[in-house]
């Protein structure tokens, strides 16, 4: 007689089978995830002509300009690199800017202390396995949440900004072909998995199909595994839902400069009551090619997003913004202590508060000019605030405080 194993509900045999099947499923999922991570790292970490180890631990790979991740994008397979802008905006170089009343100095990237990238290569910060594993999924690595649109004219603003707080100024109602600003650089305290940034946005299109090109500095431990202040760019063509990313993490942005590594740390940073360190950033639309260029400091242009990526920026942008943003996850059931800017309110003024100054837009004639009729957008003034003083826009704050719980 054959032995009979009872499989009745709740029997030990059934429980063993269920545990076995769960283990098999978990193993398959783990193997699939590991494969996805390896494939992503292979795509991002292109073969290097030269490798430089930065004093802060970053690995910078000098990759041939035509081997960078941008050319994995299906729209860019046969793209010819535009090595320089056709016509920079009038006033881009040597413009008569208002000087800060504090000592200001330029900022450098640490990796440059240990070497330079050769001609026809670009510096790319190497992605590590742990960088990818910190993301919520392989697909979301290097992307912002789709609930981060800082659009003050959105009809569903409160839904969009859930978990994100902004203190910024904006210009709307015209056609804008770029934006520029000088911003002082800080190292705000950030809770794990949250971020704090200062940036400019150039946007166009309906919310769920929003095109946006962005540049600034941020502190973002979940992305970089540290709390250093780092240079970044960002883009999306669908309101942060699935397209776009930081820096060169996904195909899109084409870098041409061998001098600056996106995502690398910048220093020194401003100190409270002490020296103020600034960066100048500009994004603008090339009048001939339609590509959207980025310039950092007075260096040669960093690179560009090809025009083909942005159907709603073809005729310029309808909204430009400058200011700060933090993410607030309310981990303890209270407002985050993540700081914006210097971590101090704008009322403390020069040398103590974070600022952007000399904000400008690029008009249809490719000229830089001051924006007309700027307005403010401030999601929670008791936590992070905003104020104007002459040519300065001060913003920021400490987050959680007796008036912000």
């Amino acid at each position: 007689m054959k032995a009979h194993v009872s499989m009745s509900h709740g029997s030990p045999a059934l429980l063993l089978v269920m545990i076995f099947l769960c283990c098999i499923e978990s193993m398959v999922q783990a193997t699939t995830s590991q494969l996805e991570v390896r494939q992503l790292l292979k795509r991002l970490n292109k073969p290097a002509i030269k490798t430089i180890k930065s004093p802060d631990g970053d690995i910078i790979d000098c990759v041939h300009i035509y081997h960078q991740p941008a050319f994995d994008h299906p729209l860019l397979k046969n793209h010819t690199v535009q090595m320089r802008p056709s016509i920079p905006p009038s006033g881009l170089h040597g413009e008569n800017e208002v000087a800060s009343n504090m000592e200001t100095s330029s900022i450098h990237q640490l990796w440059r202390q240990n070497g330079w990238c050769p001609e026809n290569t670009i510096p790319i910060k190497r992605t590590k396995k742990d960088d990818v594993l910190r993301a919520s999924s392989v697909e979301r690595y290097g992307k912002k949440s789709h609930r981060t649109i800082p659009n003050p004219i959105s009809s569903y603003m409160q839904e969009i900004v859930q978990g994100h707080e902004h203190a910024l100024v904006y210009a709307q109602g015209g056609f804008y072909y770029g934006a520029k600003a000088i911003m002082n650089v800080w190292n705000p305290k950030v809770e794990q998995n949250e971020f704090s940034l200062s940036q400019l946005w150039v946007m166009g299109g309906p919310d769920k199909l929003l095109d946006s090109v962005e540049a600034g500095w941020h502190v973002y431990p979940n992305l970089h595994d540290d709390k250093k202040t780092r240079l970044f760019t960002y883009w999306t063509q669908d309101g942060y839902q699935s397209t776009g990313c930081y820096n060169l993490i996904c195909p899109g942005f084409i870098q041409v400069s061998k001098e600056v590594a996106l995502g690398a740390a910048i220093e020194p940073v401003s100190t409270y009551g002490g020296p103020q360190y600034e960066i100048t950033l500009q994004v603008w639309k090339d009048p001939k090619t339609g590509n959207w260029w980025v310039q950092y400091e007075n260096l040669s242009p960093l690179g560009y997003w090809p025009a083909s990526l942005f159907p709603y920026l073809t005729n310029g942008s309808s909204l430009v913004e400058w200011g700060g943003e933090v993410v607030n996850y309310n981990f303890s059931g209270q407002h985050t202590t993540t700081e914006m800017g210097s971590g101090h309110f704008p009322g403390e003024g020069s040398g103590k508060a974070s600022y952007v100054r000399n904000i400008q837009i690029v008009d249809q004639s490719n000229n830089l000019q001051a924006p007309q009729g700027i307005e403010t957008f401030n999601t929670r003034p008791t936590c992070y605030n905003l104020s104007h003083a002459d040519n300065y826009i001060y913003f920021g704050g400490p987050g959680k405080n007796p008036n912000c719980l």
Side-chain angles (χ1 to χ4, degrees):
M1 179 182 292
K2 292 183 180 180
H4 176 70
V5 178
S6 173
M7 298 290 284
S8 61
H9 181 73
S11 70
L14 178 59
L15 290 175
L16 287 172
V17 169
M18 293 175 65
I19 291 171
F20 175 75
L21 292 175
C22 286
C23 289
I24 293 295
E25 183 180 1
S26 297
M27 291 172 61
V28 170
Q29 290 176 346
T31 301
T32 301
S33 178
Q34 291 173 5
L35 178 61
E36 290 175 343
V37 171
R38 286 198 298 269
Q39 290 174 335
L40 178 61
L41 291 174
K42 183 178 180 180
R43 180 177 67 76
L44 292 178
N45 296 325
K46 304 295 187 182
I49 292 173
K50 178 180 178 181
T51 294
I52 301 168
K53 185 170 183 178
S54 174
D56 62 0
D58 285 350
I59 302 296
I60 304 298
D61 291 322
C62 302
V63 175
H64 192 280
I65 194 168
Y66 272 100
H67 294 164
Q68 62 182 294
F71 295 102
D72 293 333
H73 197 292
L75 292 177
L76 305 177
K77 292 295 185 185
N78 299 312
H79 183 87
T80 300
V81 174
Q82 182 183 357
M83 292 304 297
R84 60 187 59 84
S86 58
I87 309 173
S90 175
L92 179 59
H93 299 291
E95 68 180 280
N96 182 23
E97 295 178 330
V98 176
S100 169
N101 59 4
M102 293 290 292
E103 175 192 353
T104 59
S105 302
S106 61
I107 293 171
H108 64 276
Q109 293 191 311
L110 285 176
W111 70 271
R112 293 278 295 271
Q113 295 179 13
N114 288 349
W116 299 74
C117 282
E119 292 295 329
N120 298 316
T121 69
I122 64 164
I124 301 180
K125 177 177 173 283
R126 186 181 297 179
T127 301
K128 299 175 294 184
K129 179 181 178 180
D130 288 346
D131 295 333
V132 180
L133 293 177
R134 283 192 305 275
S136 59
S137 68
V138 173
E139 294 76 17
R140 296 305 302 173
Y141 172 62
K143 298 181 183 296
K144 289 186 180 182
S145 163
H146 67 278
R147 305 177 75 88
T148 64
I149 303 174
N151 187 348
I153 56 176
S154 167
S155 60
Y156 59 111
M157 187 66 241
Q158 294 307 313
E159 175 189 351
I160 292 171
V161 301
Q162 181 179 350
H164 292 255
E165 299 189 19
H166 300 87
L168 55 83
V169 297
Y170 65 95
Q172 63 163 320
F175 290 102
Y176 309 105
Y177 296 82
K180 185 176 182 179
I182 300 170
M183 56 188 75
N184 63 346
V185 177
W186 297 86
N187 184 244
K189 295 176 182 177
V190 174
E191 290 193 22
Q192 199 64 31
N193 298 324
E194 299 184 341
F195 66 73
S196 179
L197 61 77
S198 175
Q199 70 167 80
L200 60 82
W201 294 258
V202 179
M203 301 183 289
D207 289 321
K208 294 183 179 179
L209 297 173
L210 183 81
D211 288 343
S212 182
V213 289
E214 308 166 18
W217 61 259
H218 66 187
V219 176
Y220 197 171
N222 201 48
L223 184 63
H224 300 290
D225 196 27
D226 60 36
K227 296 186 178 182
K228 297 182 177 73
T229 302
R230 295 174 178 270
L231 176 71
F232 77 89
T233 59
Y234 197 90
W235 68 278
T236 182
Q237 64 174 187
D238 63 355
Y240 306 96
Q241 294 182 82
S242 61
T243 62
C245 61
Y246 283 104
N247 308 324
L248 305 177
I249 291 175
C250 66
F253 186 79
I254 296 176
Q255 184 162 335
V256 298
S257 170
K258 66 185 183 69
E259 300 175 296
V260 176
L262 286 169
I266 51 178
E267 68 167 31
V269 297
S270 303
T271 56
Y272 184 81
Q276 300 297 290
Y277 294 90
E278 301 178 328
I279 58 173
T280 301
L281 286 167
Q282 174 166 288
V283 173
W284 80 96
K285 187 175 186 289
D286 191 300
K288 290 190 175 181
T289 64
N291 297 330
W292 286 87
W293 282 88
V294 178
Q295 179 147 7
Y296 172 70
E297 296 287 82
N298 60 354
L299 302 172
S300 59
L302 182 55
Y304 62 90
W305 293 280
S308 57
L309 296 178
F310 304 115
Y312 289 101
L313 294 179
T314 301
N315 297 316
S317 162
S318 58
L319 179 65
V320 179
E321 300 174 344
W322 304 262
E325 176 185 354
V326 301
V327 64
N328 170 26
Y329 287 136
N330 289 287
F331 287 124
S332 61
Q334 295 181 314
H335 194 281
T336 181
T337 59
T338 289
E339 299 173 341
M340 181 188 291
S342 69
H344 294 265
F345 284 115
E348 296 191 40
S350 183
K352 298 178 179 179
S354 181
Y355 63 75
V356 290
R357 68 178 179 93
N358 290 40
I359 63 171
Q360 295 175 294
I361 55 94
V362 180
D363 65 17
Q364 192 168 7
S365 300
N366 203 37
N367 294 319
L368 283 158
Q369 61 174 264
Q372 301 299 310
I374 63 168
E375 299 183 55
T376 63
F377 176 61
N378 194 355
T379 50
R380 200 163 180 183
T382 57
C383 308
Y384 314 102
N385 214 331
L386 183 81
S387 69
H388 295 245
D390 299 323
N391 205 34
Y392 287 72
I393 297 155
Y394 293 97
F395 65 90
K400 182 183 174 184
N401 66 76
N403 296 316
C404 169
L405 300 175

